[in-house]
Amino acid sequence: MSSSGMMAGLRRVGLRARSWLGRARRGLVRRAHRSHPLAMILLLLFTVAICVLSWALPAYIPTSALIIPLLLGGLLLRFRQMLVVTLVALVLGAYVVSGRAAGLPKVGFVVVLGLAAWIVLAGSKVRSRLGVSGTRGESMLIDLRDLLTAQGDLPDLPPDWLAESAIRSAGQSKFSGDFVVAATRGDDQVEVALVDVSGKGIDAGTRALLLAGAFGGLLGVVPVADFLPAANQYLRRQDWDDDFATVVHVAVNLSTGEFELRTAGHPPAIQFDAWSGRWATRDSDGPLLGLLESPEFQVNKGQLKSGDALFLYSDGMVETPIRDIGRGTDRLAGHAERLVSQGFKGAAAELVREIGGPGDDSAIVVIHRRAALTESAPPPVPVAKPAPRHRRRRRRAALGRTS
């Protein structure tokens, strides 16, 4: 057999061995996640192996390698199993270090290893309250956040409509006290609600996750006029202390452009009139959600004509410690005025980035009715083409004969 054939055969064997080892490693990790006793036994064997190798080969295997099974145990084991691995690692580590030559740090090593074990055990204790181990709790929370925030994705609208939303949390965290829920009602109506939960950032994020699921289930199911009263009843049923929410809710008829807007302690919406080029506030009286037993929410009706736009936003977009809501609303309209020429494409993300308050959650929703083609660009005027040359000659000859 030639040397090239032998090399090819060795490469194939190496690839098969690597593939088999990869499958075995992945299978072992899956079994360890599912079977906590198996993971504990493997980590105990790993701990014993590190201690034996560190005793026999102290120049190559440091005793500080015992931190590795502790960290792995924090990811794979429950609290009680993690406690067993920690005690075994501390006892064996202290025994190995006690046999070292004089002058080497012994007590300091045991103290450092104990502190590392205490940190891992503290994290495992917190996760044990969820009944899950390792990173499963974080994964479940992330999945829940993704599922609930997906309810805020604005639905696909007809080509002559544009709808965008953008949210930025205080401190750039992934959890925000502001959220958006949207739903369609039939083929010709869309409902959008922008909610601002009391607090900001992660402190309000847990309540926002709960309310996002509840409000998303109400939107598009209950009648338009009953959405805010139903949301208020749900919020009061939670019996939260000094916690409330503000909401702006709009239902738009996609055929006529007519809309109904209601607010619950929320800043007023602003509407851009394409025919006059002016901005106007759309306010409706309504108390904060969660404070009154049977509040009344007034409705503000209007219409989005071709080229018009409606902006819903949270107080983080317009209010700061040194600027009131009125001045902030004027500033928002001034920035939005610059985006009229581009048809408000990308307006939500740009406005949140440019004028959103850094110390508060910021959210905005833009609903724009695009201008029709016949209104934005008049049809070309036909231009008369000159007659062919041979026709012009015949006309001149006919005129000469008549003269």
Side-chain angles (χ1 to χ4, degrees):
M1 181 183 293
S2 63
S3 59
S4 60
M6 292 180 61
M7 292 299 295
L10 291 175
R11 278 196 294 269
R12 285 194 295 270
V13 172
L15 290 175
R16 291 175 182 173
R18 183 184 303 175
S19 177
W20 181 84
L21 290 175
R23 289 195 300 270
R25 179 183 60 81
R26 290 190 294 270
L28 186 61
V29 171
R30 284 195 297 269
R31 292 191 190 96
H33 274 293
R34 296 171 183 172
S35 177
H36 299 288
L38 175 61
M40 183 184 69
I41 293 173
L42 292 176
L43 288 176
L44 288 175
L45 293 176
F46 187 31
T47 301
V48 173
I50 289 177
C51 291
V52 171
L53 292 175
S54 180
W55 179 274
L57 303 171
Y60 298 98
I61 307 298
T63 314
S64 58
L66 288 172
I67 294 180
I68 297 176
L70 293 179
L71 296 177
L72 291 175
L75 296 176
L76 300 174
L77 302 180
R78 299 183 184 273
F79 176 74
R80 293 183 179 179
Q81 298 163 341
M82 182 62 205
L83 189 60
V84 173
V85 174
T86 301
L87 293 176
V88 172
L90 287 175
V91 172
L92 293 181
Y95 177 77
V96 173
V97 172
S98 63
R100 296 289 170 84
L104 295 177
K106 301 177 182 179
V107 178
F109 167 78
V110 176
V111 171
V112 172
L113 186 63
L115 287 175
W118 178 79
I119 294 173
V120 175
L121 282 174
S124 179
K125 181 66 174 178
V126 172
R127 287 190 290 268
S128 67
R129 296 172 58 186
L130 294 174
V132 295
S133 62
T135 59
R136 287 187 179 182
E138 290 84 350
S139 300
M140 290 170 58
L141 189 59
I142 292 173
D143 292 341
L144 177 62
R145 182 203 65 188
D146 293 340
L147 288 173
L148 293 180
T149 53
Q151 299 184 29
D153 294 341
L154 299 180
D156 295 332
L157 301 182
D160 55 338
W161 287 90
L162 171 70
E164 294 181 351
S165 65
I167 300 175
R168 187 179 67 180
S169 175
Q172 302 298 322
S173 65
K174 296 298 183 181
F175 294 90
S176 172
D178 296 352
F179 65 89
V180 177
V181 288
T184 55
R185 190 185 294 270
D187 297 331
D188 58 350
Q189 191 177 52
V190 61
E191 288 186 60
V192 181
L194 192 155
V195 186
D196 184 0
V197 182
S198 60
K200 57 186 177 181
I202 297 178
D203 295 336
T206 53
R207 298 192 299 273
L209 286 177
L210 176 63
L211 294 182
F215 290 4
L218 293 173
L219 200 69
V221 177
V222 300
V224 174
D226 295 339
F227 171 73
L228 288 182
N232 181 76
Q233 293 179 7
Y234 177 83
L235 193 57
R236 286 185 60 83
R237 196 164 64 242
Q238 305 310 308
D239 197 20
W240 290 336
D241 296 332
D242 300 328
D243 288 331
F244 56 88
T246 68
V247 184
V248 55
H249 171 232
V250 64
V252 183
N253 188 309
L254 300 177
S255 300
T256 63
E258 297 178 348
F259 64 85
E260 295 182 4
L261 186 139
R262 295 173 176 84
T263 60
H266 205 85
I270 57 175
Q271 180 181 357
F272 172 70
D273 190 338
W275 297 99
S276 64
R278 296 179 179 179
W279 295 82
T281 58
R282 287 286 186 173
D283 197 3
S284 62
D285 294 333
L288 300 170
L289 290 188
L291 298 184
L292 301 180
E293 183 66 31
S294 300
E296 294 183 0
F297 302 96
Q298 297 183 3
V299 61
N300 189 320
K301 296 184 179 181
Q303 184 180 18
L304 291 176
K305 300 182 293 294
S306 180
D308 292 0
L310 188 67
F311 286 65
L312 317 178
Y313 52 91
S314 63
D315 58 355
M317 294 289 298
V318 295
E319 188 179 22
T320 65
I322 60 175
R323 186 178 64 236
D324 59 12
I325 291 181
R327 293 177 55 191
T329 303
D330 294 339
R331 183 168 177 261
L332 173 61
H335 277 74
E337 181 74 28
R338 307 173 186 175
L339 305 174
V340 175
S341 60
Q342 64 188 50
F344 298 106
K345 184 69 175 179
E350 182 172 345
L351 290 173
V352 165
R353 183 177 62 254
E354 294 295 331
I355 67 174
D360 196 2
D361 300 329
S362 302
I364 190 170
V365 176
V366 179
I367 303 175
H368 171 55
R369 189 175 188 181
R370 293 188 172 104
L373 179 62
T374 57
E375 298 176 0
S376 60
V381 179
V383 180
K385 296 182 179 180
R389 184 175 299 176
H390 65 278
R391 292 184 180 179
R392 292 200 300 268
R393 291 177 180 174
R394 292 177 182 176
R395 290 175 183 174
R396 285 197 295 266
L399 291 174
R401 286 195 297 267
T402 57
S403 60

